[in-house]
Amino acid sequence: MKLLTGSRGAMFRITAAIAIFAAAAGCAYNETLGRNQLLFVSQGEMAQLASSAWSDLKKKEPISRDPKYTSRVNRVAPKIIRAAGGNPAQWEVQVFASDQLNAFALPGNKIGIYTGILDIMDNDAQIAAVMGHEVAHVLFNHSGERYSQAVATQTGLAAGSAVVGGSQAGNAAMQALGLGVQVGAILPFSRKHELEADKFGVRYMHRAGYDANEAIRFWQKMAASKSGAPPEFLSTHPADATRIAALQREISLLK
Ligand SMILES: [Zn+2]
């Protein structure tokens, strides 16, 4: 820390070092997204970081084996994963018994969904909307981007070397994964990432044969029942109206 609070010169050298590191290892144009992504870490490295967090979650959060939930999720999830170009055998989708209106994704093809949110879903298409959204977060390595931004702006070289050296992930890494210090607390992604996940989520659900308009009905329902901790995909930003307008635009473009 002493280095960081030192002279402007030292600070500049560190910043410059990060910038060079970013240029060499990080900034890549993603054609599907149509933008540059700052990525110091690959999907595989993020999957490694996430694997212990996922194991912890499964120990601490009760897993539901109630077929009332699992049969619906197991019916929808593989269709969405295939529609997104993935192989369902390489994904793990888990239902957690909790009243929370929440779902989340972790690198390494892991998705968690709570019974609480499944209880308010009217049909499979609404499950597909949430699955599509979460699958998109994983496929576009949004957690990796969040991690890379944290490395570049907050935690400096210490976190960078932790990634490169593959050593234990600290709080910064947990936050980058979207997990609070308390395991099970899901942090929202940025507005940009949320809108991207919405956009590609409706494409996947449409491709899988579901009515994409159900996504709008579902987000409206979520907006109306907003309470307690913000669900991963219902953060304070983007504003609900912005999000729904963006979804409507996207759905109008579906073929
Ligand atoms: Zn999200």
Side-chain angles (χ1 to χ4, degrees):
M1 284 326 286
K2 200 176 178 191
L3 258 174
L4 288 170
T5 53
S7 69
R8 273 169 190 273
M11 187 64 167
F12 175 77
R13 279 196 296 279
I14 289 169
T15 310
I18 292 171
I20 291 163
F21 183 47
C27 222
Y29 184 74
N30 183 309
E31 234 168 84
T32 312
L33 294 177
R35 66 175 177 85
N36 281 310
Q37 285 192 295
L38 177 69
L39 285 170
F40 300 141
V41 281
S42 66
Q43 299 255 27
E45 286 166 322
M46 285 309 293
Q48 270 190 304
L49 274 178
S51 70
S52 62
W54 177 248
S55 310
D56 285 351
L57 270 165
K58 287 199 291 183
K59 275 180 220 144
K60 289 179 184 168
E61 300 269 294
I63 288 171
S64 172
R65 307 209 184 276
D66 184 344
K68 175 182 154 196
Y69 299 107
T70 55
S71 65
R72 297 173 75 197
V73 168
N74 293 339
R75 184 167 62 224
V76 176
K79 291 187 195 167
I80 293 298
I81 292 163
R82 269 187 228 108
N87 174 0
Q90 292 168 353
W91 288 69
E92 187 180 349
V93 181
Q94 207 65 257
V95 179
F96 293 101
S98 160
D99 290 340
Q100 288 181 66
L101 302 182
N102 215 343
F104 63 91
L106 285 180
N109 303 345
K110 313 290 189 202
I111 290 174
I113 185 160
Y114 293 97
T115 52
I117 201 167
L118 288 163
D119 280 333
I120 68 157
M121 288 170 167
D122 297 322
N123 48 49
D124 281 7
Q126 296 189 356
I127 301 178
V130 168
M131 284 292 154
H133 178 99
E134 300 301 339
V135 165
H137 276 316
V138 174
L139 290 182
F140 295 116
N141 199 5
H142 284 162
S143 295
E145 260 191 294
R146 177 152 62 178
Y147 190 88
S148 302
Q149 278 155 10
V151 169
T153 61
Q154 295 164 19
T155 51
L157 294 174
S161 58
V163 177
V164 173
S167 61
Q168 210 184 358
N171 282 346
M174 292 295 280
Q175 282 172 23
L177 292 171
L179 300 171
V181 173
Q182 186 191 355
V183 172
I186 313 298
L187 306 174
F189 281 94
S190 70
R191 175 195 170 99
K192 182 170 73 183
H193 287 164
E194 287 308 310
L195 291 174
E196 272 178 2
D198 282 355
K199 176 176 171 173
F200 287 91
V202 293
R203 290 187 189 180
Y204 302 152
M205 72 185 285
H206 175 72
R207 216 176 282 159
Y210 295 103
D211 177 6
N213 289 297
E214 289 297 331
I216 292 180
R217 288 186 200 113
F218 179 71
W219 301 126
Q220 281 169 337
K221 183 184 270 205
M222 286 293 286
S225 63
K226 197 189 276 190
S227 62
E232 181 276 315
F233 43 74
L234 200 73
S235 52
T236 48
H237 53 113
D240 298 327
T242 309
R243 168 172 235 168
I244 286 170
L247 271 170
Q248 276 164 339
R249 199 166 48 246
E250 187 57 35
I251 289 169
S252 75
L253 298 172
L254 291 173
K255 287 180 209 110

